[in-house]
Amino acid sequence: MSVFESSNFANHESVHFFNDPASGLRSVIAVHSTRRGPAAGGTRLWQYVSDEAALLDVLNLSRAMSYKNAMADIPFGGGKAVILRPSGDFDREKLFTAYGKAVDSLGGKYCTAEDVGVGPDDMKAVRAQTRFVAGLTDGEAASGDPSPVTADGVFRGLHVAAEHALQTQSLKGLRVAVQGLGHVGYHLCYLLHKAGAKLWVADINQTVIDKAKDQFGAIAVSTDDIHSQDVDIFAPCALGGAINSDTIDEIKTKIVGGAANNQLATSELGSALKERGILYCPDYVINGGGIINVAAELSGSYDPKWVDGKLDGLKVTLAEIFNRAKQEHRPTNEIADEMAEDRIFGHHYSRAS
Ligand code: NAD
């Protein structure tokens, strides 16, 4: 692929390739922007179909982290890393030890944490080589799994959305369809249930569904139908692309807001939601709680009050997006992109370009 001309490369400051045959490490670290601070974003361990697919993935993810971190108003730029999963058996500790050395060699330009396929034990091996890492379960500032904080941010964001789209300040009695009851989705159900919302849930894992039925009185629906429930809020908390050309016409809610990254299969679907009178909570804004938690850990002394203040900040940012979208008759995802670009670069890019 041509790298510098690729739209995915757009505005990246640097991309770093690491190769360590002894451990099997093949990794790409992309630094999109350090304008607001060191580039922060997780490390993904994945079996890619090609090196090109890995590069495209890391570039997209890294750029998205700049936008997310800017909107969360934390002193970090955006970056991301992928490790190409070695085929067959491999020594995990050796792999992440080599990876830790790679992160350290960037001298703090990039700070890492967990992403898909990577756990706290892996980060422990990374920590033995570098201090530019978070998501640890022990140590002075360790903050552990960020998922409950992500869920808290989504929960707070849904209050703002409910106020704008349903003219209510309370989620009590509202009907919410949650897609995916994993680390974030399940905790979101817990918070919604506690607030008096009624839950419709779907997951490919029957165990969590049974648990949600027992614990929250949730109504189980099939994974094919969760987006089309006749409820108030649709909360995508599984994989990306929940809003796509197949699902868009079937969504009946007034609000779409959840934890999943890349909820819109294409950015044009933001306009389609708007035309249908559906308020979309831009994913990288409403799901910023996890990176806020990671930022608190990276600061060296975890302060829950600071985290709480930043989570409330997400509410203010969402309200600004919703107000501007309403005044300018434009989709919320477009407004969010513009605001993020203003915060990162001091100006935004024309949508037409
Ligand atoms: P997770 O892997 O713990 O949970 C995902 C859940 O979705 C699992 O229970 C899985 O069985 C379920 N699922 C998969 N396919 C499904 C389908 N077709 N229909 C319904 N359910 C399905 O992941 P997580 O950490 O809870 O993250 C959820 C989403 O939020 C992801 O998109 C993630 O990138 C994003 N996110 C997570 C965090 C965080 O702090 N964990 C932060 C920001 C964004």
PDB file of all heavy atoms in Angstrom, residues 13-42:
ATOM      1  N   GLU A  13       1.969  11.451  13.120  1.00  0.00           N
ATOM      2  CA  GLU A  13       3.318  11.996  13.322  1.00  0.00           C
ATOM      3  C   GLU A  13       4.380  10.953  12.987  1.00  0.00           C
ATOM      4  O   GLU A  13       5.394  11.247  12.377  1.00  0.00           O
ATOM      5  CB  GLU A  13       3.483  12.414  14.793  1.00  0.00           C
ATOM      6  CG  GLU A  13       2.788  13.712  15.090  1.00  0.00           C
ATOM      7  CD  GLU A  13       2.867  14.085  16.561  1.00  0.00           C
ATOM      8  OE1 GLU A  13       3.693  13.506  17.303  1.00  0.00           O
ATOM      9  OE2 GLU A  13       2.084  14.956  16.971  1.00  0.00           O
ATOM     10  N   SER A  14       4.162   9.720  13.437  1.00  0.00           N
ATOM     11  CA  SER A  14       5.155   8.682  13.160  1.00  0.00           C
ATOM     12  C   SER A  14       4.540   7.296  13.315  1.00  0.00           C
ATOM     13  O   SER A  14       3.542   7.121  14.009  1.00  0.00           O
ATOM     14  CB  SER A  14       6.361   8.824  14.101  1.00  0.00           C
ATOM     15  OG  SER A  14       5.953   8.709  15.448  1.00  0.00           O
ATOM     16  N   VAL A  15       5.159   6.338  12.633  1.00  0.00           N
ATOM     17  CA  VAL A  15       4.734   4.942  12.743  1.00  0.00           C
ATOM     18  C   VAL A  15       6.008   4.113  12.934  1.00  0.00           C
ATOM     19  O   VAL A  15       6.990   4.300  12.218  1.00  0.00           O
ATOM     20  CB  VAL A  15       3.995   4.478  11.464  1.00  0.00           C
ATOM     21  CG1 VAL A  15       3.494   3.050  11.636  1.00  0.00           C
ATOM     22  CG2 VAL A  15       2.826   5.408  11.139  1.00  0.00           C
ATOM     23  N   HIS A  16       5.994   3.224  13.936  1.00  0.00           N
ATOM     24  CA  HIS A  16       7.209   2.492  14.316  1.00  0.00           C
ATOM     25  C   HIS A  16       6.991   0.991  14.170  1.00  0.00           C
ATOM     26  O   HIS A  16       5.985   0.462  14.676  1.00  0.00           O
ATOM     27  CB  HIS A  16       7.570   2.812  15.771  1.00  0.00           C
ATOM     28  CG  HIS A  16       7.615   4.285  16.046  1.00  0.00           C
ATOM     29  ND1 HIS A  16       8.776   5.014  16.055  1.00  0.00           N
ATOM     30  CD2 HIS A  16       6.609   5.176  16.273  1.00  0.00           C
ATOM     31  CE1 HIS A  16       8.497   6.295  16.295  1.00  0.00           C
ATOM     32  NE2 HIS A  16       7.180   6.413  16.427  1.00  0.00           N
ATOM     33  N   PHE A  17       7.926   0.330  13.511  1.00  0.00           N
ATOM     34  CA  PHE A  17       7.826  -1.119  13.302  1.00  0.00           C
ATOM     35  C   PHE A  17       8.876  -1.811  14.174  1.00  0.00           C
ATOM     36  O   PHE A  17      10.027  -1.384  14.203  1.00  0.00           O
ATOM     37  CB  PHE A  17       8.081  -1.466  11.831  1.00  0.00           C
ATOM     38  CG  PHE A  17       7.008  -0.944  10.922  1.00  0.00           C
ATOM     39  CD1 PHE A  17       7.021   0.384  10.496  1.00  0.00           C
ATOM     40  CD2 PHE A  17       5.982  -1.766  10.500  1.00  0.00           C
ATOM     41  CE1 PHE A  17       6.021   0.871   9.663  1.00  0.00           C
ATOM     42  CE2 PHE A  17       4.982  -1.288   9.665  1.00  0.00           C
ATOM     43  CZ  PHE A  17       5.011   0.036   9.248  1.00  0.00           C
ATOM     44  N   PHE A  18       8.467  -2.876  14.869  1.00  0.00           N
ATOM     45  CA  PHE A  18       9.399  -3.613  15.728  1.00  0.00           C
ATOM     46  C   PHE A  18       9.416  -5.089  15.332  1.00  0.00           C
ATOM     47  O   PHE A  18       8.357  -5.685  15.111  1.00  0.00           O
ATOM     48  CB  PHE A  18       8.993  -3.471  17.201  1.00  0.00           C
ATOM     49  CG  PHE A  18       9.084  -2.055  17.688  1.00  0.00           C
ATOM     50  CD1 PHE A  18       7.994  -1.213  17.610  1.00  0.00           C
ATOM     51  CD2 PHE A  18      10.287  -1.564  18.175  1.00  0.00           C
ATOM     52  CE1 PHE A  18       8.080   0.109  18.028  1.00  0.00           C
ATOM     53  CE2 PHE A  18      10.387  -0.235  18.599  1.00  0.00           C
ATOM     54  CZ  PHE A  18       9.280   0.600  18.527  1.00  0.00           C
ATOM     55  N   ASN A  19      10.624  -5.639  15.292  1.00  0.00           N
ATOM     56  CA  ASN A  19      10.802  -7.024  14.881  1.00  0.00           C
ATOM     57  C   ASN A  19      11.818  -7.669  15.803  1.00  0.00           C
ATOM     58  O   ASN A  19      12.943  -7.178  15.925  1.00  0.00           O
ATOM     59  CB  ASN A  19      11.306  -7.027  13.421  1.00  0.00           C
ATOM     60  CG  ASN A  19      11.453  -8.427  12.893  1.00  0.00           C
ATOM     61  OD1 ASN A  19      10.604  -9.280  13.156  1.00  0.00           O
ATOM     62  ND2 ASN A  19      12.521  -8.668  12.166  1.00  0.00           N
ATOM     63  N   ASP A  20      11.417  -8.730  16.515  1.00  0.00           N
ATOM     64  CA  ASP A  20      12.336  -9.417  17.419  1.00  0.00           C
ATOM     65  C   ASP A  20      12.158 -10.926  17.226  1.00  0.00           C
ATOM     66  O   ASP A  20      11.298 -11.547  17.869  1.00  0.00           O
ATOM     67  CB  ASP A  20      12.034  -9.016  18.872  1.00  0.00           C
ATOM     68  CG  ASP A  20      12.933  -9.761  19.841  1.00  0.00           C
ATOM     69  OD1 ASP A  20      14.170  -9.723  19.645  1.00  0.00           O
ATOM     70  OD2 ASP A  20      12.402 -10.413  20.763  1.00  0.00           O
ATOM     71  N   PRO A  21      12.953 -11.522  16.329  1.00  0.00           N
ATOM     72  CA  PRO A  21      12.771 -12.943  16.007  1.00  0.00           C
ATOM     73  C   PRO A  21      12.872 -13.848  17.234  1.00  0.00           C
ATOM     74  O   PRO A  21      12.189 -14.875  17.295  1.00  0.00           O
ATOM     75  CB  PRO A  21      13.907 -13.234  15.022  1.00  0.00           C
ATOM     76  CG  PRO A  21      14.290 -11.902  14.470  1.00  0.00           C
ATOM     77  CD  PRO A  21      14.021 -10.905  15.541  1.00  0.00           C
ATOM     78  N   ALA A  22      13.670 -13.478  18.230  1.00  0.00           N
ATOM     79  CA  ALA A  22      13.868 -14.357  19.402  1.00  0.00           C
ATOM     80  C   ALA A  22      12.545 -14.596  20.148  1.00  0.00           C
ATOM     81  O   ALA A  22      12.281 -15.695  20.632  1.00  0.00           O
ATOM     82  CB  ALA A  22      14.910 -13.737  20.336  1.00  0.00           C
ATOM     83  N   SER A  23      11.716 -13.571  20.241  1.00  0.00           N
ATOM     84  CA  SER A  23      10.445 -13.721  20.962  1.00  0.00           C
ATOM     85  C   SER A  23       9.259 -13.901  20.020  1.00  0.00           C
ATOM     86  O   SER A  23       8.159 -14.245  20.448  1.00  0.00           O
ATOM     87  CB  SER A  23      10.198 -12.468  21.812  1.00  0.00           C
ATOM     88  OG  SER A  23      10.074 -11.348  20.954  1.00  0.00           O
ATOM     89  N   GLY A  24       9.478 -13.629  18.747  1.00  0.00           N
ATOM     90  CA  GLY A  24       8.379 -13.697  17.767  1.00  0.00           C
ATOM     91  C   GLY A  24       7.640 -12.371  17.660  1.00  0.00           C
ATOM     92  O   GLY A  24       6.603 -12.289  17.000  1.00  0.00           O
ATOM     93  N   LEU A  25       8.177 -11.332  18.317  1.00  0.00           N
ATOM     94  CA  LEU A  25       7.471 -10.042  18.284  1.00  0.00           C
ATOM     95  C   LEU A  25       7.531  -9.390  16.900  1.00  0.00           C
ATOM     96  O   LEU A  25       8.606  -9.190  16.341  1.00  0.00           O
ATOM     97  CB  LEU A  25       8.077  -9.068  19.309  1.00  0.00           C
ATOM     98  CG  LEU A  25       7.426  -7.679  19.298  1.00  0.00           C
ATOM     99  CD1 LEU A  25       6.067  -7.706  19.995  1.00  0.00           C
ATOM    100  CD2 LEU A  25       8.332  -6.630  19.949  1.00  0.00           C
ATOM    101  N   ARG A  26       6.337  -9.104  16.381  1.00  0.00           N
ATOM    102  CA  ARG A  26       6.214  -8.217  15.216  1.00  0.00           C
ATOM    103  C   ARG A  26       5.106  -7.237  15.580  1.00  0.00           C
ATOM    104  O   ARG A  26       3.972  -7.639  15.831  1.00  0.00           O
ATOM    105  CB  ARG A  26       5.865  -8.997  13.952  1.00  0.00           C
ATOM    106  CG  ARG A  26       7.037  -9.861  13.487  1.00  0.00           C
ATOM    107  CD  ARG A  26       6.888 -10.349  12.062  1.00  0.00           C
ATOM    108  NE  ARG A  26       5.686 -11.118  11.914  1.00  0.00           N
ATOM    109  CZ  ARG A  26       4.961 -11.176  10.793  1.00  0.00           C
ATOM    110  NH1 ARG A  26       5.308 -10.493   9.743  1.00  0.00           N
ATOM    111  NH2 ARG A  26       3.877 -11.914  10.734  1.00  0.00           N
ATOM    112  N   SER A  27       5.481  -5.992  15.692  1.00  0.00           N
ATOM    113  CA  SER A  27       4.549  -5.023  16.249  1.00  0.00           C
ATOM    114  C   SER A  27       4.649  -3.690  15.509  1.00  0.00           C
ATOM    115  O   SER A  27       5.713  -3.338  14.988  1.00  0.00           O
ATOM    116  CB  SER A  27       4.893  -4.830  17.732  1.00  0.00           C
ATOM    117  OG  SER A  27       4.193  -3.749  18.267  1.00  0.00           O
ATOM    118  N   VAL A  28       3.509  -2.987  15.457  1.00  0.00           N
ATOM    119  CA  VAL A  28       3.510  -1.632  14.884  1.00  0.00           C
ATOM    120  C   VAL A  28       2.929  -0.687  15.938  1.00  0.00           C
ATOM    121  O   VAL A  28       1.854  -0.955  16.485  1.00  0.00           O
ATOM    122  CB  VAL A  28       2.627  -1.539  13.615  1.00  0.00           C
ATOM    123  CG1 VAL A  28       2.857  -0.183  12.922  1.00  0.00           C
ATOM    124  CG2 VAL A  28       2.895  -2.684  12.655  1.00  0.00           C
ATOM    125  N   ILE A  29       3.663   0.370  16.238  1.00  0.00           N
ATOM    126  CA  ILE A  29       3.150   1.407  17.137  1.00  0.00           C
ATOM    127  C   ILE A  29       2.938   2.672  16.304  1.00  0.00           C
ATOM    128  O   ILE A  29       3.875   3.169  15.678  1.00  0.00           O
ATOM    129  CB  ILE A  29       4.122   1.689  18.303  1.00  0.00           C
ATOM    130  CG1 ILE A  29       4.323   0.420  19.150  1.00  0.00           C
ATOM    131  CG2 ILE A  29       3.595   2.839  19.173  1.00  0.00           C
ATOM    132  CD1 ILE A  29       5.285   0.574  20.321  1.00  0.00           C
ATOM    133  N   ALA A  30       1.692   3.148  16.293  1.00  0.00           N
ATOM    134  CA  ALA A  30       1.368   4.357  15.518  1.00  0.00           C
ATOM    135  C   ALA A  30       1.139   5.511  16.481  1.00  0.00           C
ATOM    136  O   ALA A  30       0.373   5.389  17.436  1.00  0.00           O
ATOM    137  CB  ALA A  30       0.127   4.120  14.668  1.00  0.00           C
ATOM    138  N   VAL A  31       1.826   6.614  16.212  1.00  0.00           N
ATOM    139  CA  VAL A  31       1.656   7.821  17.023  1.00  0.00           C
ATOM    140  C   VAL A  31       0.956   8.846  16.145  1.00  0.00           C
ATOM    141  O   VAL A  31       1.562   9.402  15.231  1.00  0.00           O
ATOM    142  CB  VAL A  31       3.025   8.342  17.509  1.00  0.00           C
ATOM    143  CG1 VAL A  31       2.867   9.681  18.225  1.00  0.00           C
ATOM    144  CG2 VAL A  31       3.686   7.314  18.420  1.00  0.00           C
ATOM    145  N   HIS A  32      -0.332   9.039  16.395  1.00  0.00           N
ATOM    146  CA  HIS A  32      -1.067   9.985  15.549  1.00  0.00           C
ATOM    147  C   HIS A  32      -0.716  11.414  15.921  1.00  0.00           C
ATOM    148  O   HIS A  32      -0.392  12.230  15.069  1.00  0.00           O
ATOM    149  CB  HIS A  32      -2.585   9.759  15.684  1.00  0.00           C
ATOM    150  CG  HIS A  32      -3.383  10.755  14.907  1.00  0.00           C
ATOM    151  ND1 HIS A  32      -3.992  11.833  15.499  1.00  0.00           N
ATOM    152  CD2 HIS A  32      -3.620  10.870  13.580  1.00  0.00           C
ATOM    153  CE1 HIS A  32      -4.595  12.555  14.563  1.00  0.00           C
ATOM    154  NE2 HIS A  32      -4.396  11.990  13.395  1.00  0.00           N
ATOM    155  N   SER A  33      -0.789  11.701  17.238  1.00  0.00           N
ATOM    156  CA  SER A  33      -0.529  13.084  17.636  1.00  0.00           C
ATOM    157  C   SER A  33      -0.012  13.155  19.068  1.00  0.00           C
ATOM    158  O   SER A  33      -0.497  12.456  19.953  1.00  0.00           O
ATOM    159  CB  SER A  33      -1.817  13.896  17.540  1.00  0.00           C
ATOM    160  OG  SER A  33      -1.632  15.159  18.140  1.00  0.00           O
ATOM    161  N   THR A  34       0.995  14.021  19.259  1.00  0.00           N
ATOM    162  CA  THR A  34       1.475  14.293  20.621  1.00  0.00           C
ATOM    163  C   THR A  34       1.243  15.770  20.951  1.00  0.00           C
ATOM    164  O   THR A  34       1.836  16.301  21.882  1.00  0.00           O
ATOM    165  CB  THR A  34       2.976  13.950  20.771  1.00  0.00           C
ATOM    166  OG1 THR A  34       3.711  14.680  19.782  1.00  0.00           O
ATOM    167  CG2 THR A  34       3.239  12.473  20.622  1.00  0.00           C
ATOM    168  N   ARG A  35       0.397  16.418  20.162  1.00  0.00           N
ATOM    169  CA  ARG A  35       0.167  17.855  20.391  1.00  0.00           C
ATOM    170  C   ARG A  35      -0.407  18.146  21.767  1.00  0.00           C
ATOM    171  O   ARG A  35      -0.125  19.177  22.363  1.00  0.00           O
ATOM    172  CB  ARG A  35      -0.802  18.398  19.346  1.00  0.00           C
ATOM    173  CG  ARG A  35      -0.161  18.603  18.008  1.00  0.00           C
ATOM    174  CD  ARG A  35      -1.171  19.202  17.062  1.00  0.00           C
ATOM    175  NE  ARG A  35      -0.575  19.433  15.777  1.00  0.00           N
ATOM    176  CZ  ARG A  35      -0.697  20.561  15.094  1.00  0.00           C
ATOM    177  NH1 ARG A  35      -1.382  21.566  15.580  1.00  0.00           N
ATOM    178  NH2 ARG A  35      -0.133  20.698  13.936  1.00  0.00           N
ATOM    179  N   ARG A  36      -1.275  17.266  22.250  1.00  0.00           N
ATOM    180  CA  ARG A  36      -1.903  17.510  23.545  1.00  0.00           C
ATOM    181  C   ARG A  36      -1.182  16.784  24.684  1.00  0.00           C
ATOM    182  O   ARG A  36      -1.579  16.889  25.837  1.00  0.00           O
ATOM    183  CB  ARG A  36      -3.373  17.056  23.504  1.00  0.00           C
ATOM    184  CG  ARG A  36      -4.246  17.889  22.577  1.00  0.00           C
ATOM    185  CD  ARG A  36      -5.662  17.347  22.540  1.00  0.00           C
ATOM    186  NE  ARG A  36      -6.245  17.240  23.858  1.00  0.00           N
ATOM    187  CZ  ARG A  36      -6.929  18.207  24.477  1.00  0.00           C
ATOM    188  NH1 ARG A  36      -7.137  19.353  23.882  1.00  0.00           N
ATOM    189  NH2 ARG A  36      -7.407  18.022  25.682  1.00  0.00           N
ATOM    190  N   GLY A  37      -0.140  16.023  24.333  1.00  0.00           N
ATOM    191  CA  GLY A  37       0.598  15.263  25.336  1.00  0.00           C
ATOM    192  C   GLY A  37       1.070  13.962  24.731  1.00  0.00           C
ATOM    193  O   GLY A  37       0.849  13.712  23.542  1.00  0.00           O
ATOM    194  N   PRO A  38       1.717  13.090  25.540  1.00  0.00           N
ATOM    195  CA  PRO A  38       2.176  11.805  25.000  1.00  0.00           C
ATOM    196  C   PRO A  38       1.006  11.035  24.387  1.00  0.00           C
ATOM    197  O   PRO A  38      -0.118  11.132  24.874  1.00  0.00           O
ATOM    198  CB  PRO A  38       2.699  11.074  26.239  1.00  0.00           C
ATOM    199  CG  PRO A  38       2.883  12.105  27.283  1.00  0.00           C
ATOM    200  CD  PRO A  38       1.962  13.245  26.975  1.00  0.00           C
ATOM    201  N   ALA A  39       1.285  10.297  23.334  1.00  0.00           N
ATOM    202  CA  ALA A  39       0.228   9.531  22.664  1.00  0.00           C
ATOM    203  C   ALA A  39      -0.178   8.355  23.556  1.00  0.00           C
ATOM    204  O   ALA A  39       0.670   7.560  23.948  1.00  0.00           O
ATOM    205  CB  ALA A  39       0.737   9.027  21.326  1.00  0.00           C
ATOM    206  N   ALA A  40      -1.473   8.272  23.899  1.00  0.00           N
ATOM    207  CA  ALA A  40      -1.937   7.178  24.755  1.00  0.00           C
ATOM    208  C   ALA A  40      -3.002   6.367  24.039  1.00  0.00           C
ATOM    209  O   ALA A  40      -3.893   6.915  23.390  1.00  0.00           O
ATOM    210  CB  ALA A  40      -2.505   7.733  26.065  1.00  0.00           C
ATOM    211  N   GLY A  41      -2.902   5.061  24.182  1.00  0.00           N
ATOM    212  CA  GLY A  41      -3.881   4.146  23.586  1.00  0.00           C
ATOM    213  C   GLY A  41      -3.409   2.720  23.792  1.00  0.00           C
ATOM    214  O   GLY A  41      -2.210   2.479  23.997  1.00  0.00           O
ATOM    215  N   GLY A  42      -4.316   1.785  23.721  1.00  0.00           N
ATOM    216  CA  GLY A  42      -4.000   0.402  24.085  1.00  0.00           C
ATOM    217  C   GLY A  42      -3.228  -0.374  23.038  1.00  0.00           C
ATOM    218  O   GLY A  42      -2.970   0.114  21.931  1.00  0.00           O
TER     219      GLY A  42
END
